[in-house]
Amino acid sequence: MNAQSRSVTLIGAPLEEGSGRRGAAMGPAALRIAGVDQTLIELGHDVADIGDLRIVPAMDLPNHPKAHNLRIVGAFTRALESSVHDVAASGRFPLILGGDHSLSMGSVSGMARYAAGKGRPLFVLWLDAHADFNSPATSPSGNIHGMPVAFFCGEAEFAEILPKDRPFVDPKNVFQVGIRSVDAREREEIHEHGVNVFDMRAIDEQGIGAIMREILDAVARANGLLHVSLDLDFLDPEIAPGVGTTVPGGATFREAHLVMEMLSDSGLVSSLDLVELNPFLDDRGKSARVLVELTASLFGRRIFDRPTRAA
């Protein structure tokens, strides 16, 4: 193995009930078919796949009129919080194959508990078209995949899914990049809580490299751990069409790979979500392959290592 090899554990989270449409539950299977495990092995990493989480609805949770499918999303949240924490505590890198973005309620909470046990702050890099800082009180749709950031920051305690005394992420340690679709109330909440937002205009004006250097410097100064949550709609839909919430004007192929390459160089990343892949909406596996290629960049592949595709 090379000097930067990692021990990676794949955790499948076939969760689609946090979104407003079906299909994201097929995401983990599509990522495996696209070769996420073999790609990491070829890069010199030790990979273990523990399969998909199997849950039953959490019947102790209420049916919430403004948080749809709460019992299923809540059960996944609990299972992921525990699984991600335990994988990280064992010294391995949790890589969560999603699944819609509500799964980050569990994955980030698990990493927050792990970071607290280490006495280190957790930072979150949220690569997404959406800010996902709604709560049932502010959400126009009631779909929980628009609420995970508020949840793991402790600003969306709409049911006791996880213990109320759990470690939260400081909103000022959340960096959102690629944002281009924010609800009106959500914008107020983000500003009030000090979430760091770099929207597409910021990327256009400053360049993705300068933004990433600012983020990585902040994490390094604080001796923090960094959780990366990559939503497929961070990318422009021309590159990655297999997502249920397409927003035009997203990151380019090279911008996205530069983000991942700089993350790799930093050595700061401790966990990763791949979310919102909906194979039913994809074009012959194109989006799944893009996510696998971006994951490869995070784990050490460089542009001169890339296989050339036949025309």
Side-chain angles (χ1 to χ4, degrees), residues 80-97:
L80 269 169
E81 192 277 344
S82 175
S83 182
V84 167
H85 172 270
D86 292 350
V87 167
S90 75
R92 299 181 67 89
F93 183 106
L95 201 170
I96 300 88
L97 310 178

Side-chain angles (χ1 to χ4, degrees), residues 203-232:
I203 292 175
D204 291 341
E205 291 184 343
Q206 300 175 40
I208 196 70
I211 289 169
M212 287 303 299
R213 281 190 290 274
E214 179 179 337
I215 294 168
L216 293 170
D217 285 349
V219 178
R221 280 196 307 272
N223 188 33
L225 298 173
L226 180 59
H227 177 91
V228 177
S229 199
L230 174 58
D231 189 313
L232 186 62

Side-chain angles (χ1 to χ4, degrees), residues 32-78:
R32 291 185 177 103
I33 293 167
V36 64
D37 51 352
Q38 194 59 40
T39 298
L40 295 177
I41 290 168
E42 290 170 359
L43 289 169
H45 304 285
D46 167 49
V47 179
D49 188 346
I50 62 173
D52 290 348
L53 296 176
R54 305 290 180 186
I55 62 98
V56 293
M59 300 309 290
D60 61 299
L61 295 175
N63 279 317
H64 198 299
K66 294 187 177 179
H68 304 323
N69 302 311
L70 176 58
R71 289 174 170 173
I72 294 176
V73 175
F76 266 106
T77 299
R78 291 169 176 173

Side-chain angles (χ1 to χ4, degrees), residues 49-249:
D49 188 346
I50 62 173
D52 290 348
L53 296 176
R54 305 290 180 186
I55 62 98
V56 293
M59 300 309 290
D60 61 299
L61 295 175
N63 279 317
H64 198 299
K66 294 187 177 179
H68 304 323
N69 302 311
L70 176 58
R71 289 174 170 173
I72 294 176
V73 175
F76 266 106
T77 299
R78 291 169 176 173
L80 269 169
E81 192 277 344
S82 175
S83 182
V84 167
H85 172 270
D86 292 350
V87 167
S90 75
R92 299 181 67 89
F93 183 106
L95 201 170
I96 300 88
L97 310 178
D100 73 60
H101 221 156
S102 62
L103 68 81
S104 296
M105 291 164 56
S107 61
V108 177
S109 295
M111 287 305 297
R113 178 157 64 99
Y114 171 72
K118 291 288 186 181
R120 299 173 66 184
L122 181 67
F123 289 74
V124 177
L125 176 59
W126 198 258
L127 301 169
D128 199 334
H130 305 88
D132 294 338
F133 207 91
N134 273 307
S135 67
T138 65
S139 172
S141 68
N143 294 327
I144 300 178
H145 73 162
M147 307 180 192
V149 181
F151 179 85
F152 61 65
C153 290
E155 301 299 329
E157 292 293 276
F158 45 92
E160 193 156 351
I161 301 171
L162 295 174
K164 294 186 185 302
D165 61 352
R166 70 186 188 276
F168 296 116
V169 177
D170 185 338
K172 296 180 179 62
N173 290 350
V174 177
F175 292 87
Q176 300 192 323
V177 177
I179 304 298
R180 53 196 189 277
S181 177
V182 183
D183 299 318
R185 277 287 304 279
E186 200 179 18
R187 184 175 286 107
E188 295 172 8
E189 293 286 327
I190 290 166
H191 180 73
E192 178 186 334
H193 291 96
V195 177
N196 303 280
V197 177
F198 297 93
D199 60 12
M200 289 308 300
R201 175 172 177 172
I203 292 175
D204 291 341
E205 291 184 343
Q206 300 175 40
I208 196 70
I211 289 169
M212 287 303 299
R213 281 190 290 274
E214 179 179 337
I215 294 168
L216 293 170
D217 285 349
V219 178
R221 280 196 307 272
N223 188 33
L225 298 173
L226 180 59
H227 177 91
V228 177
S229 199
L230 174 58
D231 189 313
L232 186 62
D233 69 23
F234 169 67
L235 295 154
D236 192 88
E238 290 292 318
I239 303 168
V243 64
T245 50
T246 55
V247 184

Side-chain angles (χ1 to χ4, degrees), residues 6 93 216 226-228 263-264 266-272 298:
R6 306 289 295 267
F93 183 106
L216 293 170
L226 180 59
H227 177 91
V228 177
L263 288 169
S264 177
S266 76
L268 295 170
V269 181
S270 54
S271 44
L272 172 67
L298 178 58

